[in-house]
Amino acid sequence: MASMASISAARGGTSPSGNQLEAFDYFLVVDFEATCEKDQRIYPQEIIEFPSVLVDGATGRIESAFRRYVRPKHHPVLTQFCRDLTGIRQEDVDGGVDLGDALLLHDAWLKAATAGTWAGAKKGGGLAVVTWGDWDCRTLLESECRFKGIAKPPYFDRWINLRVPFEAMLGGTGQTNLQEAVREAGLEWEGRLHCGLDDARNTAHLLVELMRRGAKIEITGSLAPVPLIREKQQQQKPCISPYRITGSLALPPRIGQQPHASPCRGVVAVPGPMQGKRFLGCGNWTPTMGVVCPYFVWGS
């Protein structure tokens, strides 16, 4: 483990290349496990293991660890592939908690583990979430919380994808997996691959090693709310839809009017292959149908 002096120097000073490093009081390393099946996707994909490791930014020590198994709602029975991959048993998730409860328990653990020294709970402050890749925070947690209407702590809205400083220092093509990265950094892999808590611990060790070497550790990803453009609100009617509307809504077409004459723009919010994609709707919707009809033009 890196010494306190080397980590403190990295946080408050400069790297060998002269880059000023952003200091964080704590790093919160997460690696979620989710429902899955071999060679196919499950919708909605749900978190089944919620692990977190707290690293002191000044010393590089792992101060505390958190884990809760989460009970999936839409696919409550784990596939054989999922059980074999993650080592999570059916009885683990059957006795687990809902995702909303896991988030509340995690938040209480974090406040207790930092003993009130972390003052930036609302804005992120001196805390940075760390992941290997963007999937955990950008895709999985965000999608499930939106789909289920669950509020999550704002510190999950920005994170450090450790792959970025790893590849900046040691090279790579974006395809290096976590286990390979740990070994390329000269560390020994500890525990079981795809056990969320073990993966988080190994990610934490890799983080500290990169800090020791003077890597630039800074926020690499974030989530921003999608603005709602309101035009002529007095002429708009609400659209009950599984899509998040980001442009003005068109009124239902008049008799004889082409259904795609008055478009509305939006982003697909429900989990699935088109999630995050933008669409152009024809405006031919009804409150009873709750959708904006199939006349979509999909874009990136």
Side-chain angles (χ1 to χ4, degrees), residues 29-40:
V29 186
V30 299
D31 194 298
F32 303 123
E33 298 300 326
T35 51
C36 56
E37 178 58 291
K38 186 176 182 180
D39 298 329
Q40 60 180 286

Side-chain angles (χ1 to χ4, degrees), residues 32-36 45-49 82 86 88 135 140:
F32 303 123
E33 298 300 326
T35 51
C36 56
Q45 197 168 24
E46 298 171 277
I47 293 173
I48 54 176
E49 183 186 359
C82 185
T86 65
I88 297 174
W135 179 78
L140 180 61

Side-chain angles (χ1 to χ4, degrees), residues 6 9-11 13-21 169 209-216:
S6 62
R11 288 181 68 243
T14 58
S15 69
S17 62
N19 292 325
Q20 185 69 31
L21 300 183
M169 174 160 282
E209 175 62 18
L210 293 177
M211 291 174 64
R212 187 190 68 80
R213 297 189 186 195
K216 187 175 183 180

Side-chain angles (χ1 to χ4, degrees), residues 77-249:
V77 178
L78 302 183
T79 64
Q80 184 66 49
F81 172 79
C82 185
R83 297 197 302 272
D84 292 342
L85 179 70
T86 65
I88 297 174
R89 303 169 302 173
Q90 184 64 45
E91 51 264 39
D92 292 330
V93 295
D94 288 344
V97 298
D98 292 335
L99 178 59
D101 292 333
L103 285 164
L104 290 174
L105 291 168
H106 177 269
D107 204 45
W109 160 81
L110 178 60
K111 291 174 182 176
T114 56
T117 59
W118 172 47
K122 292 185 178 180
K123 296 182 179 179
L127 177 80
V129 172
V130 179
T131 62
W132 182 258
D134 294 317
W135 179 78
D136 296 87
C137 290
R138 183 183 297 281
T139 304
L140 180 61
L141 181 62
E142 173 71 1
S143 297
E144 186 173 355
C145 285
R146 283 184 176 273
F147 183 69
K148 295 181 177 179
I150 298 172
K152 60 183 173 66
Y155 49 77
F156 281 118
D157 287 340
R158 65 173 199 159
W159 62 90
I160 297 167
N161 175 358
L162 199 61
R163 188 193 299 273
V164 175
F166 169 82
E167 293 185 346
M169 174 160 282
L170 298 178
T173 62
Q175 301 301 316
T176 305
N177 64 43
L178 176 59
Q179 192 172 50
E180 293 169 342
V182 167
R183 291 171 176 168
E184 288 180 22
L187 304 174
E188 291 291 331
W189 181 268
E190 299 179 7
R192 186 190 195 283
L193 182 63
H194 297 305
C195 163
L197 184 57
D198 288 345
D199 287 356
R201 288 185 184 275
N202 282 282
T203 304
H205 294 156
L206 179 59
L207 164 68
V208 173
E209 175 62 18
L210 293 177
M211 291 174 64
R212 187 190 68 80
R213 297 189 186 195
K216 187 175 183 180
I217 307 297
E218 60 184 0
I219 297 297
T220 61
S222 64
L223 293 168
V226 178
L228 179 64
I229 303 174
R230 301 183 182 277
E231 298 177 0
K232 300 180 180 179
Q233 296 185 14
Q234 69 277 12
Q235 298 183 15
Q236 296 180 8
K237 296 183 179 180
C239 178
I240 303 172
S241 170
Y243 307 98
R244 185 171 65 253
I245 305 299
T246 59
S248 59
L249 294 177

Side-chain angles (χ1 to χ4, degrees), residues 245-262:
I245 305 299
T246 59
S248 59
L249 294 177
L251 293 174
R254 299 175 181 175
I255 297 176
Q257 182 181 0
Q258 292 298 319
H260 54 279
S262 300

